[in-house]
Amino acid sequence: MEHNVVGISFSHAKNSMNTRGLKLMGFDDVYDMSDFNMPICDVNKSDGKVLARVHNFLNRMAEADILVFAVPEATAHYSAGFKNAMDWIICATNFNADLGQDGPFSNKPVYLMTFTPVVEGAGGRHFDMTKHLIEKMGGKVYNSFVKNNGWKECVPSNYEWIRKEREEILNTKMPKPINRKKDMLDRPNVWIEQYNEWDKLWLEKK
């Protein structure tokens, strides 16, 4: 059975190496953050109301069977673009991150990648943190890959550079379906009530 593999680069950079690296892998669809133009997350109410462009981002992931996330390393951490995107997912799913049920990659195989010009010793220092966040939100990280020496190797038609990783991803054994939890489903409503009461106090003070 052929699976739909979607690559998402969490880079805003024009001519991003992470975006180009994913395109070199030849998956069904590849997106980067400029395709969605999501602003810095500015929502703090757990009502699930987010921008249409955020829903577009979520829908692209929801349509995938397998996701490949190219996350740039920034100051030995995941990039701000990745964290911002995850924050929007939390808001869109009524702050139910700990349940991991309602996200666009719940129970889906996720592969982490970083494409970097560094020859060795960098690129994947954020992987433990990134994996923890993704799995907290319901995804299943199957493997993580650092592709170094990108200025030399991440060039058109150099399919051999990414062949091993591409084959592993395409041959992914899909997880079994899971039963959704029923507990805590009323939490968003409780949080909205508490938020409204708190917000009212500040509005009355003006």
Side-chain angles (χ1 to χ4, degrees):
M1 178 180 178
E2 185 174 335
H3 302 299
N4 179 34
V5 182
V6 173
I8 297 181
S9 165
F10 290 89
S11 175
H12 290 80
K14 186 177 181 180
N15 302 328
S16 162
M17 181 176 290
N18 281 277
T19 306
R20 287 175 167 177
L22 287 180
K23 289 182 177 179
L24 187 64
M25 298 186 82
F27 297 132
D28 301 287
D29 296 290
V30 172
Y31 305 96
D32 65 21
M33 293 297 95
S34 65
D35 291 312
F36 306 106
N37 193 28
M38 293 181 290
I40 294 294
C41 185
D42 59 356
V43 175
N44 64 349
K45 188 174 182 180
S46 57
D47 58 4
K49 295 179 181 179
V50 297
L51 300 168
R53 67 190 79 172
V54 176
H55 283 296
N56 184 29
F57 169 61
L58 270 62
N59 289 339
R60 300 291 78 75
M61 288 189 288
E63 293 167 357
D65 298 314
I66 301 167
L67 287 156
V68 183
F69 288 170
V71 182
E73 182 172 278
T75 59
H77 210 293
Y78 44 63
S79 64
F82 174 77
K83 181 59 168 62
N84 188 55
M86 296 302 105
D87 288 345
W88 275 118
I89 293 173
I90 297 291
C91 295
T93 56
N94 304 98
F95 288 21
N96 269 344
D98 58 336
L99 295 177
Q101 298 185 73
D102 304 322
F105 48 80
S106 295
N107 199 43
K108 288 188 179 183
V110 178
Y111 288 86
L112 295 177
M113 301 196 73
T114 294
F115 297 87
T116 172
V118 177
V119 176
E120 61 181 350
R125 290 173 290 184
H126 65 86
F127 279 163
D128 287 342
M129 296 177 285
T130 307
K131 178 181 178 181
H132 173 76
L133 181 55
I134 289 172
E135 293 190 340
K136 177 180 174 64
M137 296 171 65
K140 295 180 177 294
V141 177
Y142 276 40
N143 210 343
S144 306
F145 309 113
V146 177
K147 301 304 293 180
N148 295 118
N149 202 20
W151 282 329
K152 179 180 179 181
E153 302 289 356
C154 187
V155 294
S157 302
N158 188 16
Y159 304 118
E160 186 61 26
W161 185 52
I162 46 78
R163 178 183 58 80
K164 181 179 178 182
E165 293 81 6
R166 183 178 187 276
E167 289 180 354
E168 178 177 332
I169 293 167
L170 292 178
N171 289 306
T172 297
K173 184 178 180 180
M174 300 300 291
K176 296 179 180 178
I178 59 174
N179 294 322
R180 299 303 185 191
K181 296 179 181 178
K182 301 298 183 183
D183 59 332
M184 296 181 70
L185 295 180
D186 63 336
R187 191 183 75 174
N189 291 329
V190 173
W191 278 26
I192 291 169
E193 290 175 5
Q194 292 174 342
Y195 173 91
N196 288 336
E197 292 174 2
W198 168 78
D199 195 41
K200 183 180 179 182
L201 293 175
W202 284 94
L203 294 174
E204 289 175 346
K205 187 175 177 62
K206 290 184 177 180

